[in-house]
Amino acid sequence: MAERDLFEERAADWDQQPLQVQISTQVIGAIRRTVPLGPELTAMDFGAGTGLIGSGIANEVATLHAVDVSEAMLAQLATKAELRGKVQAHCQDILSEPLEVRVDLVVSAMAMHHVRDTRALMKSLFDHLVPGGRIALSDLDAEDGSFHPAGMEGVYHAGFDRAALGELATEAGFIHVEFTDAGALDKNNRTYPIFLMTAVRPA
């Protein structure tokens, strides 16, 4: 039995939410400042959602594989004219059902806290990269659990400690693991910092 789509009711107006626009604007900026893009690259957007991040980089890579477990979110992505012909959508859990392709770059924004096993995720992303490929992953810095409503389904982490996450990346085989400040999110009269972690699969 397929798991329930936790984003089914939120997908339609996702792109109109100011917080989501704030996230995508900041993360796209951080990726552009930190990661070399180019028309020869094949990329994956992990936890692609409606394609807010993908829309910001699709024209600067050859192909973008949009990966998400929410059919509703990917259905919204499919409506975007700027992504047609550039994006291949995959509604699957790549930890248990890997893609058949290998990519040069994996980007992600605010998806890691929805994955229960971060160690397994790091290994999966490593395995999806070609030698010399890179990751650029953004999420919340460790917080007190107030960013999401209490008991919200599908949220497994209250942000991430950078040092601990970096250790998991190194354990998975990545080198040149680095963190930069991607920005900050304003919610509930509080400010929550977000990071961008980059790392390289050895050539």
Side-chain angles (χ1 to χ4, degrees):
M1 180 178 177
E3 291 189 10
R4 186 168 67 87
D5 188 341
L6 300 179
F7 288 86
E8 184 172 6
E9 295 179 357
R10 291 185 278 169
D13 65 350
W14 188 259
D15 290 8
Q16 283 70 55
Q17 298 177 23
L19 185 67
Q20 306 310 326
V21 175
Q22 184 183 14
I23 291 169
S24 61
T25 299
Q26 293 184 5
V27 173
I28 290 169
I31 290 172
R32 289 178 182 276
R33 291 191 302 271
T34 310
V35 180
L37 302 172
E40 75 284 359
L41 298 181
T42 298
M44 177 203 299
D45 184 358
F46 174 76
T50 62
L52 285 172
I53 300 299
S55 295
I57 68 168
N59 286 335
E60 298 184 54
V61 298
T63 302
L64 182 67
H65 295 272
V67 173
D68 206 291
V69 295
S70 170
E71 291 186 5
M73 296 289 266
L74 290 176
Q76 292 296 317
L77 179 149
T79 67
K80 296 185 174 180
E82 69 270 22
L83 294 179
R84 289 176 191 153
K86 294 289 293 187
V87 175
Q88 298 180 32
H90 307 267
C91 188
Q92 64 195 72
D93 179 355
I94 62 170
L95 275 70
S96 58
E97 185 186 357
L99 298 186
E100 295 182 357
V101 299
R102 296 296 174 264
V103 300
D104 302 290
L105 172 66
V106 177
V107 300
S108 182
M110 303 293 282
M112 287 191 294
H113 62 255
H114 292 297
V115 179
R116 190 189 304 270
D117 190 341
T118 310
R119 175 176 279 105
L121 173 62
M122 288 297 138
K123 185 64 169 65
S124 175
L125 296 183
F126 184 91
D127 291 343
H128 278 86
L129 287 169
V130 300
R134 300 170 181 264
I135 53 173
L137 314 176
S138 184
D139 213 303
L140 294 161
D141 277 294
E143 44 100 10
D144 61 4
S146 62
F147 184 83
H148 293 96
M152 185 174 183
E153 191 175 356
V155 175
Y156 301 109
H157 308 277
F160 295 90
D161 176 80
R162 297 188 185 193
L165 185 61
E167 288 179 4
L168 291 181
T170 300
E171 180 185 309
F174 286 104
I175 59 174
H176 306 313
V177 180
E178 298 179 356
F179 288 84
T180 58
D181 297 331
L185 307 178
D186 301 318
K187 185 177 183 180
N188 302 327
N189 297 315
R190 296 185 59 176
T191 299
Y192 298 87
I194 58 174
F195 62 81
L196 184 73
M197 180 180 78
T198 57
V200 178
R201 174 171 177 160

